[in-house]
């Protein structure tokens, strides 16, 4: 096992990874930007180093500086968390070349799954259903219109190197597609360094269902069941839960089998997630995230598997601690993301947290990287915390979620708590009638 791990991230996920390092008696090294010097992840780590100025390009995305800190501090591994450099194949390869283990899949796998067009091709080759769409990047707006005319509107225009909904837009006709093509191309270039776009047929009322997989260096691949992440705003998840309800055992079995089949075809190592859209008892591959997911706690709660601990072990060359027959889903877990944002417009709302109170109990898990007095700056994602609850049934979990949200008290800046309370009590949510259009239809 590793002796020193550098956590190349900030906020709640850095705190989460550091806590597992402590359990395994691993020396945890934090990095921080100048504005994060007093952050909880810095306080929790055994050692911390300033990586640069507030701008992410000067700090959490500064590959050379991060690897230099890792080398000088004697780290034998780097955990990237999620976001930032977590799916950057160049960072993973450079770490490896410097003799530092990157806690994640092989750089080649990351590169292949990071290109959404290549990923679609690969999944088709191994028999995983994909949404009808272009097999290659679309060169210009005219070719995009021609292709969309062939498969029929509405279509989804997507960035080949994209993620988080950036560079993605649903369009209903040729005129809208022409306008959307150029704006999304520019956005994709700015965010991902590539303006490559592709087109998929838009499903009407899909659910977003994903399957967590784990693989080790000894050829073992297992799944940890599925999560329903359908409730999203601007293509970004707000509520996640496990297991998904209302899907037949036969469909779930096919989903799990497809996810494992895909991971095995990639000789996948470490934690990964296969994301699917589900509609009319059919499922379609959406993308694969080659990293730890924000919503991993709901899977941990219903399976009892510490996913971060498994990540560290398999990166160190150990076998997975569990085999597929040992994975049993027990109870129901729901996660909500508490953001510093306007609850109506969903725009970020930076400021200082005067008071931060969330109730505690054996059925509540709070993953956070803030506390009273923390300043939320405009430099980073305004996620304050993930509130995760557990119940023996979905009804019990929702009841606990409602009560916990009612008792949360965060002062000093705007938060989306009122919005989360409304969703948790909405009759269509409690009935399980959710699709990716839930927020647009009801709020």
């Amino acid at each position: 096992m590793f002796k020193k791990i550098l956590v190349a991230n900030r906020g709640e996920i850095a705190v989460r990874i550091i806590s597992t390092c402590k359990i395994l008696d691993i020396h945890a090294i934090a990095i921080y930007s100048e504005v994060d010097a007093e952050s909880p992840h810095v306080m929790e780590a055994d050692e911390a180093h300033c990586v640069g100025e507030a701008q992410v390009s000067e700090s959490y995305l500064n590959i050379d500086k991060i690897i230099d800190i890792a080398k000088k501090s004697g780290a034998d591994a780097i955990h990237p968390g999620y976001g930032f450099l977590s799916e950057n194949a160049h960072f993973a390869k450079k770490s490896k070349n410097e003799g530092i283990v990157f806690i994640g899949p092989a750089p080649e796998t990351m590169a292949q799954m990071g290109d959404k067009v290549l990923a679609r091709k690969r999944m088709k080759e191994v028999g995983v259903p994909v949404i009808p769409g272009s097999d290659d990047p679309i060169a210009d707006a005219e070719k995009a219109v021609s292709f969309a005319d062939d498969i029929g509107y509405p279509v989804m225009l997507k960035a080949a190197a994209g993620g988080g909904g950036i560079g993605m837009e649903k369009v209903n006709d040729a005129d809208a597609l022409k306008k959307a093509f150029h704006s999304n191309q520019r956005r994709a270039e700015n965010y991902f360094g590539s303006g490559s776009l592709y087109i998929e047929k838009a499903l009407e009322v899909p659910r977003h269902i994903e399957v967590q997989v784990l693989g080790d260096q000894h050829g073992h691949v297992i799944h940890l069941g599925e999560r329903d992440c359908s409730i999203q705003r601007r293509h970004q998840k707000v509520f996640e839960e496990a297991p998904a309800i209302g899907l037949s055992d036969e469909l779930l079995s096919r989903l799990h089998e497809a996810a494992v089949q895909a991971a095995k075809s990639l000789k996948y190592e470490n934690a990964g997630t296969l994301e699917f859209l589900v509609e009319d008892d059919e499922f379609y591959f959406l993308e694969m995230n080659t990293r730890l997911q924000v919503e991993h706690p709901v899977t941990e709660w219903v399976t009892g598997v510490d996913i971060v601990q498994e990540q560290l072990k398999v990166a160190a060359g150990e076998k997975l601690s569990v085999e597929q027959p040992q994975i049993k889903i027990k109870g129901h877990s729901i996660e909500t993301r508490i953001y510093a944002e306007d609850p109506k417009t969903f725009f970020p709302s930076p400021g200082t947290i005067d008071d931060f109170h969330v109730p505690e109990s054996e059925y509540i898990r709070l993953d956070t990287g803030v506390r009273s007095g923390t300043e939320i700056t405009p430099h980073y994602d305004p996620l304050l915390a993930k509130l995760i609850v557990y119940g023996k049934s979905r009804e019990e979990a929702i009841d606990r979620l409602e009560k916990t949200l009612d008792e949360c008290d965060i002062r000093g800046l705007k938060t989306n708590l009122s919005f989360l309370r409304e969703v948790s009590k909405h009759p269509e949510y409690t009935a399980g009638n959710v699709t990716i259009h839930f927020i647009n239809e009801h709020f």
Side-chain angles (χ1 to χ4, degrees), residues 375-423:
E375 181 184 2
I376 305 302
T377 73
H379 301 292
Y380 314 115
D381 185 278
L383 177 68
L384 298 180
K386 301 181 320 200
L387 172 63
I388 309 107
V389 298
Y390 177 81
K392 285 181 287 187
S393 64
R394 184 172 188 262
E395 291 71 24
E396 189 173 70
I398 290 175
D399 184 56
R400 285 182 174 142
L401 176 64
E402 290 179 6
K403 290 175 179 173
T404 306
L405 285 170
D406 284 342
E407 294 176 20
C408 285
D409 189 12
I410 301 173
R411 299 183 182 182
L413 39 61
K414 289 183 181 178
T415 74
N416 64 340
L417 276 173
S418 60
F419 169 72
L420 299 179
R421 291 177 185 126
E422 287 185 59
V423 173

Side-chain angles (χ1 to χ4, degrees), residues 220-238:
H220 304 116
V221 175
I222 64 170
H223 72 82
L224 300 182
E226 77 288 346
R227 297 184 284 258
D228 189 331
C229 306
S230 297
I231 297 187
Q232 308 173 1
R233 52 107 172 88
R234 297 197 186 107
H235 304 295
Q236 292 192 325
K237 302 160 190 170
V238 187

Side-chain angles (χ1 to χ4, degrees), residues 192-235:
F192 311 116
S194 167
S196 181
L197 302 177
Y198 68 105
I199 285 176
E200 285 180 347
K201 178 73 178 168
L203 302 180
E204 293 297 333
V205 285
R207 290 170 64 181
H208 182 123
I209 307 292
E210 61 187 32
V211 180
Q212 175 74 58
V213 295
L214 292 173
D216 64 23
Q217 299 175 27
H218 305 277
H220 304 116
V221 175
I222 64 170
H223 72 82
L224 300 182
E226 77 288 346
R227 297 184 284 258
D228 189 331
C229 306
S230 297
I231 297 187
Q232 308 173 1
R233 52 107 172 88
R234 297 197 186 107
H235 304 295

